[in-house]
């Protein structure tokens, strides 16, 4: 699985819940939400475009930061 890091303009718990909701709908995603830094790390076999489109369904500004190497 690729580990991808995205910026999502989240300001509150409601924003991170919206991200959680859309990612659960995509199915089978393992992810971490870092609210203070407005980052979402996703382990996924989906491509970046699919993940970005999904994150944008929250209505938040979202952009791809890059691949994260597994620690």
């Amino acid at each position: 699985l690729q580990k991808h890091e995205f910026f999502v303009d989240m300001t509150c718990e409601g924003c991170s819940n919206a991200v959680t909701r859309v990612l659960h709908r995509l199915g089978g995603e393992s992810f971490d939400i870092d609210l203070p830094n407005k980052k979402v790390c996703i382990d996924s076999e989906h491509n970046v475009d699919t993940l970005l489109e999904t994150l944008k369904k929250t209505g938040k500004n979202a952009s791809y930061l890059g691949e994260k190497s597994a620690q």
Side-chain angles (χ1 to χ4, degrees):
L1 289 178
Q2 294 293 92
K3 211 174 182 45
H4 299 292
E5 193 168 41
F6 295 87
F7 166 83
V8 181
D9 196 13
M10 303 174 285
T11 51
C12 64
E13 207 55 40
C15 301
S16 64
N17 289 342
V19 169
T20 300
R21 244 190 336 273
V22 295
L23 288 174
H24 277 308
R25 220 172 282 148
L26 194 55
E29 305 307 300
S30 154
F31 56 92
D32 284 318
I33 296 176
D34 178 353
L35 189 55
N37 294 314
K38 303 184 179 197
K39 287 183 182 169
V40 181
C41 279
I42 309 172
D43 293 326
S44 177
E45 66 244 352
H46 289 288
N47 65 32
V48 171
D49 293 337
T50 303
L51 295 171
L52 197 52
E53 282 310 303
T54 301
L55 289 171
K56 286 182 175 171
K57 285 179 186 162
T58 59
K60 302 285 164 207
N61 188 4
S63 57
Y64 184 53
L65 296 173
E67 254 178 63
K68 222 172 144 73
S69 54
Q71 272 101 22

